[in-house]
Amino acid sequence: MSWFESFVLGLVQGLTEFLPISSSAHLRLTAAFAGWHDPGAAFTAISQIGTEAAVLIYFRKDIARILSAWFRSLTDKQMRGDHDAQMGWLVIVGSIPIGVLGITLKDQIEGPFRDLRLIATTLIVMGIVLGIADRLAARDEVGGKHRAVKERKTLKDLGIRDGLIFGFCQAMALIPGVSRSGATISGGLLMGYTRESAARYSFLLAIPAVLASGAYELKDVNEGHVSWGPTIFATLVAFFVGYAVIAWFMKFITTKSFMPFVIYRVALGILLFILISTGAVSPHAGESAG
């Protein structure tokens, strides 16, 4: 991997990680369209550490408050009813599905799941799911001629059941094209949560999963065409770009619909199917060399 490739892929990672359009799919597609080697699951997991560092800084006050309350709840029974302490446990509970499935499906994640036909399918299907979830949320927020405005849930309403559902939604993102934020936000909206609450829990839930995945893949950095230097460089680029994107996205979702992302996902998936069917792009582009 050249330094230019690592810069472009780091930029793509930072731009797409927090948007509901799948960063892993865009890394895979960028390499395929440019004629580069598939960066692979290891590069993707490690570069995500950069964007996750942006989450740690952006939500540093929330995270510090949650960690403090959680640790105190281990010895102080009165603290166990505290919302922040409960959030600590709920992040742990919600991380279980992706941890178990990530280990169980490791070979599929690094192989068959990177087929561009599967990525095109997940882009379209999950785009439609996000669109439906967004419409339902908008209907509750504005009401209608024969409907009253319906109050949606916030993180104070989050329990173990919903936390696990969020976790299974996040685990779906092991398949490139699904999108970690897209799946968890869609799940949250379908369960009746506000856009901001679903997004906030989605980002907090990703912290242990991404950091653990990145640390696990460190051993594979020097295998194939990917080496330490370009990987670290891409991770740094992803951090700076990702921080700017997350700040913009959290403001965007308070007043805007997810429909632009829905349209983009469906259009990209259809375009990808056309390119594959016409032979312009191989569904396994870059894999043999990677």
Side-chain angles (χ1 to χ4, degrees):
M1 178 181 289
S2 69
W3 291 99
F4 177 71
E5 286 179 48
S6 67
F7 171 76
V8 172
L9 293 174
L11 183 63
V12 170
Q13 168 63 30
L15 286 171
T16 59
E17 171 66 18
F18 303 117
L19 305 181
I21 57 176
S22 179
S23 62
S24 57
H26 280 75
L27 289 175
R28 176 77 177 91
L29 292 176
T30 299
F33 291 159
W36 300 338
H37 299 330
D38 179 0
F43 176 87
T44 301
I46 295 169
S47 65
Q48 285 177 338
I49 294 177
T51 44
E52 213 52 43
V55 172
L56 292 173
I57 293 176
Y58 187 85
F59 290 111
R60 61 189 179 279
K61 293 181 180 179
D62 298 53
I63 294 169
R65 194 177 63 249
I66 290 170
L67 285 175
S68 174
W70 182 79
F71 276 114
R72 281 184 289 158
S73 72
L74 296 177
T75 56
D76 185 351
K77 292 183 178 180
Q78 292 184 342
M79 283 297 299
R80 293 173 189 173
D82 182 82
H83 172 66
D84 289 324
Q86 292 174 346
M87 276 296 297
W89 286 111
L90 289 169
V91 168
I92 293 173
V93 169
S95 300
I96 293 174
I98 197 170
V100 173
L101 292 175
I103 295 173
T104 304
L105 301 175
K106 184 177 186 302
D107 291 339
Q108 286 74 25
I109 294 168
E110 296 176 349
F113 284 2
R114 302 186 74 77
D115 188 305
L116 295 184
R117 290 166 297 191
L118 177 60
I119 291 175
T121 301
T122 54
L123 281 170
I124 294 171
V125 172
M126 290 307 299
I128 294 172
V129 172
L130 177 62
I132 293 172
D134 188 62
R135 287 285 185 175
L136 291 174
R139 187 180 66 179
D140 288 347
E141 291 167 359
V142 301
K145 186 175 181 180
H146 302 292
R147 296 189 308 270
V149 173
K150 181 179 178 181
E151 185 175 354
R152 302 208 116 220
K153 294 189 285 188
T154 68
L155 291 184
K156 291 185 178 180
D157 301 304
L158 186 65
I160 293 178
R161 183 188 72 89
D162 287 358
L164 278 173
I165 293 175
F166 267 112
F168 278 107
C169 290
Q170 176 180 238
M172 292 173 61
L174 292 170
I175 304 173
V178 170
S179 170
R180 184 192 310 276
S181 64
T184 49
I185 290 173
S186 295
L189 294 178
L190 290 173
M191 287 189 289
Y193 286 87
T194 64
R195 290 186 179 91
E196 185 178 3
S197 295
R200 186 173 291 269
Y201 184 62
S202 170
F203 294 149
L204 293 175
L205 189 60
I207 294 173
V210 170
L211 294 182
S213 176
Y216 179 78
E217 295 288 0
L218 288 175
K219 66 183 188 312
D220 296 328
V221 171
N222 283 318
E223 294 185 4
H225 67 285
V226 180
S227 57
W228 273 109
T231 301
I232 293 174
F233 180 55
T235 303
L236 289 173
V237 172
F239 164 73
F240 288 108
V241 176
Y243 187 85
V245 171
I246 192 174
W248 171 82
F249 186 64
M250 290 305 294
K251 293 179 181 178
F252 175 88
I253 60 175
T254 58
T255 58
K256 305 293 184 181
S257 163
F258 286 119
M259 290 311 295
F261 302 113
V262 173
I263 295 170
Y264 173 78
R265 287 182 64 105
V266 174
L268 180 59
I270 292 173
L271 174 62
L272 188 52
F273 269 128
I274 293 173
L275 293 174
I276 293 171
S277 64
T278 58
V281 174
S282 167
H284 305 289
E287 286 184 2
S288 59

